[in-house]
Amino acid sequence: LNLLIQGSAADQMKRVMINYHSIKHETARILLSVHDEPLITCPTQLRDKEMKKLQEVMDDDTGWEVPMRSSGKTSTKSWGEAVPYEDFE
């Protein structure tokens, strides 16, 4: 059962990144994806617009009867600075 769930989540993130890539601003970049968290970089003035685009793609991508809802955070810090190491202990 876990294999099916993890495989579905991986497929969903792949679709999210492909779909986001087609609508993102030309200066926005998908840096990486850690499990179900895509890391995007863009100019500060585009931050809110790009976050909204990414959330819309993540929320609309499933095609399942039960809606999926995403949440996100933005920061001007690097990922390492924004996510304290203590969160991983």
Side-chain angles (χ1 to χ4, degrees), residues 12-71:
Q12 180 185 3
M13 281 308 301
K14 186 176 180 179
R15 285 191 306 271
V16 164
M17 290 193 299
I18 290 169
N19 292 341
Y20 172 71
H21 187 269
S22 68
I23 64 168
K24 71 177 186 61
H25 190 272
E26 62 186 19
T27 59
R29 301 281 182 259
I30 303 170
L31 295 180
L32 60 96
S33 175
V34 179
H35 301 289
D36 61 347
E37 297 181 16
L39 181 62
I40 310 299
T41 184
C42 67
T44 304
Q45 66 269 22
L46 297 175
R47 182 175 52 193
D48 294 334
K49 288 182 181 180
E50 292 303 309
M51 172 63 79
K52 183 175 172 147
K53 288 179 191 178
L54 183 59
Q55 282 186 282
E56 287 174 358
V57 169
M58 291 184 77
D59 290 349
D60 292 341
D61 185 67
T62 64
W64 299 340
E65 290 183 26
V66 177
M68 299 273 295
R69 296 294 174 245
S70 62
S71 62

